[in-house]
Amino acid sequence: MAVSKGSEPWILMVTARSPTNIAVIKYWGKRDETLILPINDSISVTLDPDHLCTTTTVAVSPAFDSDRMWLNGKEISLSGGRYQSCLREIRRRAGDVEDEKKGIRIRKVDWERLRVHIASYNNFPTAAGLASSAAGFACLAFALAKLMNIKEENGELSSIARQGSGSACRSLYGGFVKWVMGNDASGHDSIAVQLANESHWDDLVIIIAAVSSQQKETSSTAGMRESFDTSTLLHYRSKVVVPRRILQMEEAIRNRDFQSFARLTCADSNQFHAVCLDTSPPIFYMNDTSRRIINCVERWNQFEGTPQVAYTYDAGPNAVLIARNRTAASLLLKRLLFYFPPSPDTELTSYLLGDKSILEEAGLQSMKDVENLQAPPEIKGGISVDKNSGSVSYFICTRPGRGPTLVVDEDQALIDPRTGIPKFPNMDSSILQAQIRQQGDDVTVHLDMIIGFGSWDFSPLDLENPFPNNEGSVHLWHGDHDLMVPVSLQRYIAKKLPWIHYHEVPAAGHLFAHGNGYSDAIIKALLLGEKWGQ
Amino acid sequence: MAVSKGSEPWILMVTARSPTNIAVIKYWGKRDETLILPINDSISVTLDPDHLCTTTTVAVSPAFDSDRMWLNGKEISLSGGRYQSCLREIRRRAGDVEDEKKGIRIRKVDWERLRVHIASYNNFPTAAGLASSAAGFACLAFALAKLMNIKEENGELSSIARQGSGSACRSLYGGFVKWVMGNDASGHDSIAVQLANESHWDDLVIIIAAVSSQQKETSSTAGMRESFDTSTLLHYRSKVVVPRRILQMEEAIRNRDFQSFARLTCADSNQFHAVCLDTSPPIFYMNDTSRRIINCVERWNQFEGTPQVAYTYDAGPNAVLIARNRTAASLLLKRLLFYFPPSPDTELTSYLLGDKSILEEAGLQSMKDVENLQAPPEIKGGISVDKNSGSVSYFICTRPGRGPTLVVDEDQALIDPRTGIPKFPNMDSSILQAQIRQQGDDVTVHLDMIIGFGSWDFSPLDLENPFPNNEGSVHLWHGDHDLMVPVSLQRYIAKKLPWIHYHEVPAAGHLFAHGNGYSDAIIKALLLGEKWGQ
């Protein structure tokens, strides 16, 4: 059994950070639902974790009674097959662990009985079509492997992450990554391999458009099952089209051939959505805004004669736009802000997140500069341009980035080393926009985006009740989703801010579903009162 | 040479009426662009010409100097290859014609030198995705064949209409029609055949949703060329998927098997749009409203366990919904009006066109009944329903109908028998909605739909100037299109109604493009002053 020198119960923790990734040759369709084995290879670009990442702390202690997990501050069940597969596969490979400083020794055999606590946070909207589950399961596998001292060989870890969420296997590497479908029924050869690291092609700039949507989306798990069962085109795609494209894409990446890269990326995104449409009943992930963005890019690429930007869409309406270089990216940004200006009263810096330096390169200092943007030259004079203010929630500027990393600063751990449960939301969530509007008796708090981690002290509280006479209510929402607030915080807020009215959204089947990572931001918005009383 | 007993110049005329059709197994992709030979068979349902049709008068006279054509009152060029092909192929087959009453005799050889005048009107919006070119070229071929006394054999006429617009060949028959792709390079075996006439399956009720759209659409000619060149999925579809579906659809129609009919119809519509999306650059014909209609139908069909309604979309956002019977149609109508209520102040009878008796069966007498519609049972309690008022311009209720017919009443001819040019708009266009709104100095005339032909006397005029002090202007539009008014009418109106302000929309490349068939309705709306001054 695990031992410690002292008699006090000990806790051993590891914190890691993992990137998300965007497929440029898409994964759609499984040949094995349980093991998550795909029907074709796929290729992705890892996105810079500075802008989009999951942070996960895993802790082990003989005092823990059961495996537990908190996602974005809320405890979730680990009973699902996907979590169980990951935990089982990881435990099977666990090694001896010794922490001399803390005087802890855990033998290989101890891991079967030791329970773990897991706390995980996304610094971007969960289930907003930004591959939160890919980053999440990659981070879980990576952090547990470090905690349990697993000697990883031959992409074994990616094979474990894959069993949590298929595309998670690709988030275990930085840069350009191929998920080899494999042949074996056991799935041991269905692993991710790095094609090139992030510095191989560092000209690329990625702009993500978070597209507003009211439609309930089909989960990718259900969607690919339905496509597999009903789309006649899917099987032709996976057998005939994709193998050819994989070779071409590998070559394009190897040669940093943007023209081929863009052509293949756009064609494969479109074909993936074509297959969704060929499903019965049809699945629609893109909406009218997604299509307007495609038209904007296609028109510009055609005008230039050679592609400046590639677009790709996952199982949602958000666009991921890959510009050939920073010059193209700043020209793209101008176009995007011209066609999709922010709603009135939005700060420009809260409309473009991530790498904001691109704003300066585009010569955009303020909203006035955005308002003064001229129609791009590919728009012929006389054609009326319809501007779509409000149809994009925000943009994120990022780039290809590195794979998972350990977070060595113990202060950044998400679990309290004394209690073994998550710290109270110990994050510095930069609130990019917190608009509070009052209409009659109702107040709406609109938080536009939260990004970035860090520490933020909860007290002393500096609150004022906006309804001294206790009338009215506050409705909390983010984009089109009602916000979820962890129960612990609900009690806290209920005590401190009795005028808040909650709308609980029942969790969907998918564990990483729904926008529930905003508790800290709500509180900060309310406590700090940004734009209070507007 | 043609002779007549008298010395006066004679004119011989034929007027015909042709239906439009909607494909349930789609035609997309040509193996020969000039002859318009398809890469797969297709199957369509002919729509009742009482609700949607083209009327065409063709006239011949030794006094005519050149072939001329007027479409919806406006003269258009006949120099395009498609018109030239039709005229050439028709003339080649012309026979001897004798009109004893008029004392006219035309020999076979005369036709090469005789010129024709053609006047054509659609009773529905041109190029609104309602296959106006199918009805148009079918009617042209049919009327010319009658005029020139062509003995039609083996679908030869459909082969000629095909060279004007591929799907036109299917409009030469009523009921259920198959366009056999044929094998010969000459195209002589690429013809339409009737699978069953309209009485074979007369339970079916068809509701068309005219979906509002701001997007410029890719013409189907350009679209299918691009798909042919760039979509890898199209060729698999045409070679492997469609041949199987054709057999299944023929069987479904033969057995009046609605379940199979609906499954195949929906799947093939979705696959056609999937192939459009797989094209580079991608082509989008459906928009968010189209998708909401699909979701409404899919949800209901799933709830019932067996399909009640099939949907299909051509190269545009309009939905064609085929209900299994009148009961299903009235339940469908309730759902459509629940999700897509008309804009405020719209008369119900101007929001549902065509066969209005379905309203009574649905128990909908007034807008109040529409407002009181309950959410359908397939919507679970608690789910918020988003209603989309204004996203559908109008609905048309129709049914499978007959093929082309001769119009024997000479008063209904579109060409003046004395002058040989089109009569001044001599039609009884029922204006279904003419809303006139004044805002500040501007007045908007909103005409929702015109349907039906007949005679309408232009004078005496009974006009009142809505701006006695001569301030303000009237902007004419239909749906999202500015209205086009023939030059002759412009002059007329300018004289009579000097306060009207025109917006001319340049004609697009496609001859049947843009909503330009409303001149008569504008005038009637203005002259008769329906809902005047609201």
Side-chain angles (χ1 to χ4, degrees), chain A residues 27 30-38 81-82 85 88-89 158-166 179 184-188 190:
Chain A
Y27 150 55
K30 301 184 182 82
R31 63 180 203 273
D32 185 311
E33 290 258 350
T34 310
L35 292 172
I36 310 191
L37 300 177
R82 292 169 166 225
S85 296
R88 185 183 59 246
E89 293 299 315
S158 76
S159 168
I160 295 171
R162 189 202 73 224
Q163 295 176 57
S165 170
W179 175 10
D184 202 273
S186 73
H188 80 274
S190 186

Side-chain angles (χ1 to χ4, degrees), chain A residues 214-215 232-233 236-237 241 244-245 267 270-271 273-275 277-279 281-282 284 286-289 291-292 294-295 298 302 311 386, chain B residues 214-215 232-233 236-237 241 244-245 267 270-271 273-275 277-279 281-282 284 286-289 291-292 294-295 298 302 311 386:
Chain A
Q214 295 171 338
Q215 284 187 286
T232 47
L233 301 183
Y236 179 74
R237 159 179 166 73
V241 183
R244 214 162 43 204
R245 285 187 179 165
N270 291 328
Q271 187 168 89
H273 292 278
V275 161
L277 184 44
D278 188 50
T279 300
F284 302 104
M286 296 197 289
N287 63 21
D288 284 349
T289 304
R291 289 203 298 274
R292 284 191 192 103
I294 289 182
N295 289 338
E298 289 282 2
Q302 198 158 5
Y311 55 82
D386 64 331
Chain B
Q214 294 171 338
Q215 283 188 287
T232 47
L233 301 182
Y236 179 76
R237 160 178 166 72
V241 182
R244 213 162 45 204
R245 285 187 178 165
N270 290 328
Q271 186 167 90
H273 292 278
V275 160
L277 185 43
D278 188 50
T279 301
F284 302 104
M286 296 197 289
N287 64 20
D288 284 349
T289 304
R291 288 204 297 275
R292 284 192 191 101
I294 290 182
N295 288 337
E298 289 281 1
Q302 198 158 6
Y311 55 83
D386 64 332

Side-chain angles (χ1 to χ4, degrees), chain B residues 340-363:
Chain B
F340 307 97
S343 307
D345 303 329
T346 305
E347 292 285 330
L348 186 52
T349 51
S350 70
Y351 195 54
L352 183 86
L353 314 179
D355 175 9
K356 290 173 199 286
S357 68
I358 195 79
L359 279 175
E360 207 171 318
E361 282 176 58

Side-chain angles (χ1 to χ4, degrees), chain A residues 448-473:
Chain A
D448 250 329
M449 178 64 185
I450 311 118
I451 213 157
F453 274 78
S455 70
W456 168 55
D457 196 357
F458 229 76
S459 58
L461 297 173
D462 184 20
L463 272 180
E464 281 185 284
N465 189 337
F467 304 108
N469 53 359
N470 229 5
E471 282 168 359
S473 66

Side-chain angles (χ1 to χ4, degrees), chain B residues 468-528:
Chain B
N469 53 359
N470 228 5
E471 282 168 1
S473 66
V474 172
H475 181 136
L476 301 174
W477 55 284
H478 170 82
D480 301 312
H481 299 287
D482 288 281
L483 283 162
M484 294 193 71
V485 180
V487 175
S488 55
L489 285 192
Q490 284 181 27
R491 290 203 200 97
Y492 181 87
I493 296 176
K495 202 169 141 201
K496 291 291 181 188
L497 314 169
W499 36 270
I500 287 185
H501 178 63
Y502 292 104
H503 290 253
E504 266 284 355
V505 180
H510 198 283
L511 279 168
F512 281 86
H514 294 300
N516 55 0
Y518 299 95
S519 48
D520 51 319
I522 299 165
I523 294 189
K524 191 174 170 194
L526 297 174
L527 299 196
L528 302 190

Side-chain angles (χ1 to χ4, degrees), chain A residues 411-412 423 425-429 452-458 524:
Chain A
D411 287 349
Q412 292 196 43
K423 295 175 187 176
N426 188 21
M427 294 157 291
D428 179 12
S429 300
F453 274 78
S455 70
W456 168 55
D457 196 357
F458 229 76
K524 192 175 168 193

Side-chain angles (χ1 to χ4, degrees), chain B residues 78-332:
Chain B
L78 283 174
S79 63
R82 292 169 167 224
Y83 282 108
Q84 287 300 315
S85 295
C86 284
L87 288 169
R88 185 184 59 244
E89 294 298 316
I90 287 277
R91 279 202 169 95
R92 281 209 316 146
R93 292 165 175 81
D96 294 336
V97 172
E98 191 153 358
D99 186 320
E100 290 202 3
K101 214 172 78 187
K102 293 189 179 165
I104 299 167
R105 191 155 56 86
I106 306 172
R107 285 167 307 152
K108 202 170 157 53
V109 293
D110 297 333
W111 286 110
E112 283 302 323
R113 280 185 293 176
L114 283 169
R115 299 296 130 205
V116 291
H117 284 185
I118 304 159
S120 194
Y121 270 91
N122 298 322
N123 73 344
F124 58 93
T126 308
L130 296 173
S132 56
S133 64
F137 277 102
C139 207
L140 180 66
F142 184 84
L144 285 172
K146 293 291 172 198
L147 179 72
M148 299 188 187
N149 190 25
I150 292 173
K151 306 292 175 223
E152 213 244 321
E153 271 172 15
N154 302 322
E156 217 177 2
L157 206 50
S158 76
S159 169
I160 295 170
R162 188 203 72 225
Q163 294 176 57
S165 171
S167 56
C169 69
R170 296 187 310 238
S171 271
L172 281 164
Y173 301 94
F176 302 83
V177 183
K178 176 179 171 182
W179 174 9
V180 182
M181 64 177 283
N183 294 307
D184 202 89
S186 73
H188 81 275
D189 57 352
S190 186
I191 57 168
V193 294
Q194 189 179 54
L195 297 175
N197 70 20
E198 60 275 20
S199 63
H200 164 71
W201 196 356
D202 57 5
D203 284 349
L204 301 181
V205 179
I206 298 171
I207 296 181
I208 297 167
V211 170
S212 312
S213 170
Q214 294 171 338
Q215 283 188 287
K216 197 120 197 186
E217 281 148 23
T218 310
S219 81
S220 55
T221 301
M224 49 180 103
R225 189 185 308 128
E226 287 160 20
S227 292
F228 188 88
D229 291 343
T230 65
S231 167
T232 47
L233 301 182
L234 173 62
H235 302 280
Y236 179 76
R237 160 178 166 72
S238 68
K239 285 194 189 72
V240 180
V241 182
V242 174
R244 213 162 45 204
R245 285 187 178 165
I246 287 283
L247 295 174
Q248 293 170 337
M249 182 59 92
E250 289 190 62
E251 196 184 341
I253 290 170
R254 196 161 46 238
N255 301 331
R256 300 182 202 89
D257 168 3
F258 189 78
Q259 184 159 357
S260 302
F261 176 84
R263 185 179 52 76
L264 288 163
T265 297
C266 299
D268 208 66
S269 172
N270 290 328
Q271 186 167 90
F272 153 52
H273 292 278
V275 160
C276 290
L277 185 43
D278 188 50
T279 301
S280 173
I283 303 165
F284 302 104
Y285 287 122
M286 296 197 289
N287 64 20
D288 284 349
T289 304
S290 315
R291 288 204 297 275
R292 284 192 191 101
I293 295 172
I294 290 182
N295 288 337
C296 154
V297 171
E298 289 281 1
R299 207 158 41 216
W300 183 31
N301 282 346
Q302 198 158 6
F303 177 78
E304 296 288 345
T306 175
Q308 304 301 303
V309 174
Y311 55 83
T312 187
Y313 292 74
D314 268 358
N318 299 328
V320 178
L321 306 168
I322 308 176
R324 63 185 313 146
N325 53 35
R326 285 191 75 84
T327 309
S330 71
L331 291 169
L332 169 65

